[in-house]
Each structure stands twice: as C-alpha cells, then as structure tokens.
C-alpha cells in the first residue's frame, strides 16, 4: 500500500517518543503497533526510545540506551544525532518525561501531542506544566481526560482525542462449550513487578483462596523483575503455572482458556491485556482505582470492580464466581465481548491518524516556556540531577514550613 497521505498528499512525518519500546507494557505494545501499521495510514513514522538498548527488528526505532550514570550533555548529543536528515511535522510524546531536557533539539514548528497512557501518581502536578507544552492530547480513559481539562480548561475543541486502544483478536477465541470453574482458571497478564502491578499482593490472595477451599488454577502470562520472587512464594506447580512471555496463537490460546483475568494494581490506564481477554470472553476483575480497567469491569457486572487493595474482598469475589449459575456466566462472557467491540485495531488506526493530521494542520497553541536548567547542570548525570532535584524539593518544603507557608 502506498505510504502517501490522503488524496496522494505527502506522508505526515511523525516522531513518537517513549521511555521503552520492546518490553511487555501496554505503551510498548501501542508503539510497536504504530511501527507496524503507520505506513498504511499515510504516516512516515520514526521512534526515539530513551531507556532501552538497541533491539533487532525495528528499523525505524532509535534506541538511545540511557543509563543513570549518563550525563545530560551526552544524552542530548544522542538525541540530536539520532535522526540525521529527517524532520518531523508532528512529535508525539508517549511519556511525560524528557521534554525539558530534549524538546529544544526538535523542530520548533512541529506540533506536539501528549499521549497519556496511564493515570500515574503525580500526573495532576505534571500536567500543570505539560498541559501547556502540547498542541493536542490523546487520553486512554475518561479520568485522564478529566485531568487534562482540569489543568487546561481553555483547551479548544478538536484538540483532545479519547483513545480506544487497539486489539486484534483472532476470529474464534471463545469455545461455547468451555467449562466453568472446574477448576476456576484465574489469569494474570502483564509485567511481574511490585511497582504499579503490585504482584507482592498475590501470595496473600493465594493464601486466602487456599483457606477458603476454592478449587482454582492460577496462570501467569508475562515476565518481569519479580518473577523469581513469585515462583519461590507460590511453589505448587499443580495449581500455579508461569507461562512466561507469549505471543501470537499461543498467547490467545492461553488467554481464551481462562475464566477470569484479575489485577491488583495501584494504578492503570486501560490495560490492553484486559481488553484482549474480554474480547475472548474472559471476565475482568479489577480494583477500583479510577482507571479505564475498573470501569470496564463494572460495566460487565458491578461487583467485578472490587475495593482497591482489599484481598479479602477479592478472594470472596472469586469464591462467589465459582458458584455462578450457567446463565450468569454466559451473560458476563457476552457483555465482556460486547464491551470491547469498539476497540477494533482498524478503527483505532484511522482515528489516531486522523487526529494526528488534524493537529499538524492546526495552528500551534500558546506554549509556556520550558524550564531553563541552571548553568553547568548538563554536565551532571541523570542520577546526580535527580538527587539535586530531591534536595531542592526537600529544602523548599522546609523553607515553606519555616515561613508558615507549608502544610
């Protein structure tokens, strides 16, 4: 298919910037989707990846291999030299990090989009500045939309896109004859990490399921820094299985065999793993954390959005689900599939490409200046800069308290 834009116009040159690209997270999955499909939408795309080393198979991605010991000066040189001879019309930040370090190295005339994938801690504070550095916003759930509009209430119409993440399930993912709760097949899909995903809570959940005498099989799809820790604390391989990272047919075969997918996260955007599992008729269980995930779960059935961090409530919910009548199981499977019908990958690609062209064609919004770094700090490493900023924050807090301005 021709890479030209609509009506034979030149392709739109889009630079996507992120901290990671080849890993397991939802952001990485979306970036790889764009790498594979942008040309078909008339977009000439490139990708800058800050914190990963070069990975094979991604010819238009530049992996900059940042480390904590790298100086800001050296990092800026890597960014400046990453894409010789190629100038973007549009820059899409898939991270709130890095603007103040590197944005001045990119063409000033290029429009900026901030693509917000997760309701991370501190996002409101970050948006006090970032919301005034961008010309458009893409948001993966309604709560993030609310945060953007609270930070920039004067945002003109047409500058914000509510994204429906792309999923592309096989045509047949659900067997109508799949048995229910014999045993109850409970799945976890994603990074095995304490940060955000809070897999440290899972042994406590397993202990409660065992104490309640629930017949279950717990399956993990994915990998991460806490996999060995989890394997050591969940040694019963007859009931707990670690499949590692899977893709393609094997991934869908495993997911579509689950009764339910659960999360114990502290924060999320709208997890792609949840959307894909729901498309296969798997019933979502999600903590109430104000994200897309708990809203989707509650739309299937309200009690599937359980109190955040409450392992007793989660174990009790699993126990109740094992006793659901066949009619309720069928209804919830149907609702799961119907709830994610709007996430077809083709519809996502068309909407995001259309939004990109719209923002690129509109005049830039007024932007506040990026903060200036104190002279000499570019010679510092990222780690040293982070320590310096922490010291300044602590000193500012102490000064405010001493002067009666603190809380």
């Amino acid at each position: 298919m021709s890479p030209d834009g609509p009506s034979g116009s030149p392709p739109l040159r889009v630079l996507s910037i992120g901290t990671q690209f080849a890993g397991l997270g939802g952001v990485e999955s979306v970036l790889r989707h764009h790498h594979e499909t942008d040309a078909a939408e008339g977009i000439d795309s490139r990708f800058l990846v800050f914190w990963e080393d070069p990975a094979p198979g991604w010819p238009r991605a530049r992996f900059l291999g940042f480390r904590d010991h790298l100086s800001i000066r050296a990092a800026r040189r890597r960014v400046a030299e990453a894409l010789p001879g190629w100038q973007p019309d549009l820059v899409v930040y898939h991270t709130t990090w890095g603007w103040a370090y590197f944005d001045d190295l990119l063409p000033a005339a290029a429009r900026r989009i901030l693509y917000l994938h997760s309701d991370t801690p501190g996002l409101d504070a970050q948006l006090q500045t970032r919301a005034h550095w961008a010309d458009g916003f893409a948001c993966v759930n309604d709560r993030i939309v609310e945060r953007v509009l609270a930070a920039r209430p004067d945002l003109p119409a047409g500058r914000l896109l509510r994204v429906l993440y792309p999923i592309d399930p096989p045509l047949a993912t659900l067997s109508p004859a799949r048995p229910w709760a014999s045993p109850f097949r409970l799945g976890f899909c994603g990074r095995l990490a304490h940060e955000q995903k809070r897999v440290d809570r899972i042994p406590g959940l397993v202990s409660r399921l065992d104490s309640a005498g629930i017949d279950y099989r717990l399956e993990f799809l994915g990998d991460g820094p806490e996999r060995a820790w989890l394997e050591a604390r969940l040694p019963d391989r007859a009931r707990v299985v670690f499949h590692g990272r899977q893709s393609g047919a094997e991934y869908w075969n495993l997911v579509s065999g689950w009764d339910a997918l659960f999360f114990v996260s502290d924060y999320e955007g709208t997890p792609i793993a949840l959307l894909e599992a729901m498309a296969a008729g798997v019933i979502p269980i999600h903590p109430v954390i104000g994200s897309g995930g708990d809203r989707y779960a509650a739309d299937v059935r309200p009690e599937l959005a359980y109190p955040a961090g409450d392992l007793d409530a989660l174990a009790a919910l699993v126990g109740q689900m094992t006793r659901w009548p066949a009619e309720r199981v069928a209804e919830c499977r149907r609702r799961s599939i119907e709830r994610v019908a709007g996430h077809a990958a083709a519809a996502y690609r068309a909407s995001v490409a259309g939004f990109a062209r719209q923002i690129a064609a509109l005049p830039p919004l007024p932007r506040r200046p990026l903060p200036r770094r104190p002279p000499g700090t570019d010679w510092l490493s990222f780690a040293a800069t982070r320590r310096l900023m922490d010291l300044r924050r602590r000193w500012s807090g102490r000064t405010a308290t001493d002067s009666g301005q603190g809380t």
Side-chain angles (χ1 to χ4, degrees), residues 210-233:
D210 289 341
S211 297
I214 294 171
D215 183 17
Y216 68 90
R217 177 182 170 90
L218 176 58
E219 299 186 18
F220 291 91
L221 257 178
D223 213 333
E226 307 305 333
R227 177 173 175 173
W229 181 90
L230 268 179
E231 288 180 335
R233 282 154 182 79

Side-chain angles (χ1 to χ4, degrees), residues 10 32-33 44 81 84 134-135 165 260 269 273 309 331 338 343 349 360-361 377 393 395:
R32 293 195 299 270
H33 184 85
D44 176 12
E81 297 172 352
D135 302 298
Y165 263 159
E331 178 188 20
E338 291 174 351
H343 286 267
R349 292 193 293 267
T377 55
R393 278 193 290 266
W395 176 256

Side-chain angles (χ1 to χ4, degrees), residues 28-345:
E28 295 94 309
S29 176
V30 169
L31 286 169
R32 293 195 299 270
H33 184 85
H34 280 282
H35 188 283
E36 295 169 358
T37 64
D38 276 352
E41 299 297 329
I43 292 175
D44 176 12
S45 58
R46 302 290 187 275
F47 301 81
L48 281 187
V49 186
F50 290 140
W51 291 91
E52 281 183 348
D53 291 332
W58 308 105
R60 298 192 316 283
R62 299 294 179 265
F63 297 84
L64 302 182
F66 288 178
R67 296 288 189 276
D68 276 352
H69 65 264
L70 188 71
S71 72
I72 295 172
R73 178 183 174 87
R76 283 174 57 82
R77 184 166 58 249
R78 293 186 189 184
V79 171
E81 297 172 352
L83 298 166
W86 188 85
Q87 297 286 306
D89 305 306
L90 180 71
V91 178
V92 182
Y93 280 94
H94 293 260
T95 174
T96 56
W97 184 86
W99 290 43
Y101 293 133
F102 311 116
D103 193 74
D104 64 305
L105 302 173
L106 305 175
R111 306 295 186 262
R112 270 65 166 169
I113 288 176
L114 177 57
Y115 193 143
L116 292 164
H117 296 263
S118 186
D119 191 11
T120 53
L123 181 60
D124 280 339
Q126 293 174 340
L127 286 174
Q128 295 307 308
T129 53
R130 275 69 163 182
H132 298 274
W133 298 347
D135 302 298
F137 302 84
C139 306
V140 304
N141 65 45
D142 295 335
R143 185 69 188 98
I144 297 176
V145 169
E146 294 167 2
R147 294 191 188 282
V148 169
L149 295 178
R152 195 160 186 175
D154 59 341
L155 188 69
R159 298 282 185 160
L160 189 148
L161 176 68
R162 169 64 166 86
V163 172
L164 295 178
Y165 263 159
I167 58 173
D168 194 12
L171 291 177
T173 55
L174 173 65
S175 169
R178 189 175 73 197
W180 175 260
S182 57
F184 189 79
R185 295 186 66 177
L186 190 60
F188 181 96
C189 186
R191 286 182 298 107
L192 303 183
H194 291 344
E195 171 65 25
Q196 180 187 0
K197 299 299 183 180
R198 293 304 305 270
V199 299
D200 52 301
R201 291 172 171 154
I202 296 178
L205 170 64
V206 168
S207 177
R208 288 164 172 81
L209 297 178
D210 289 341
S211 297
I214 294 171
D215 183 17
Y216 68 90
R217 177 182 170 90
L218 176 58
E219 299 186 18
F220 291 91
L221 257 178
D223 213 333
E226 307 305 333
R227 177 173 175 173
W229 181 90
L230 268 179
E231 288 180 335
R233 282 154 182 79
L234 303 174
D236 184 358
R237 290 297 162 265
R239 305 188 80 173
V240 182
V241 180
F242 291 83
H243 294 290
R245 183 174 181 174
Q246 302 291 337
S247 61
E250 182 62 21
Y251 169 86
W252 285 105
N253 287 339
L254 289 167
V255 169
S256 61
W258 294 344
D259 294 315
L261 172 80
F262 78 102
F263 292 79
V264 286
S265 311
D266 278 341
Y267 60 92
E268 290 284 354
T270 300
I272 292 180
L274 177 136
L275 301 174
E276 291 177 333
M278 290 176 66
V282 179
I283 296 173
I285 302 173
H286 201 284
V288 178
I289 52 178
S291 75
D294 44 299
R295 296 188 184 189
Y296 278 56
D299 285 346
V300 175
R301 193 170 175 88
E303 65 264 33
L304 295 171
Y306 70 94
D310 190 338
L311 297 181
D312 290 328
L314 176 54
L317 173 61
V318 172
Q320 294 163 13
M321 292 175 71
T322 64
R323 300 186 295 274
W324 276 5
E327 295 80 6
R328 184 178 301 170
V329 172
E331 178 188 20
C332 287
R333 284 176 170 170
R334 176 183 56 78
R335 286 184 178 178
S336 293
I337 294 169
E338 291 174 351
R339 183 61 181 84
V340 298
H343 286 267

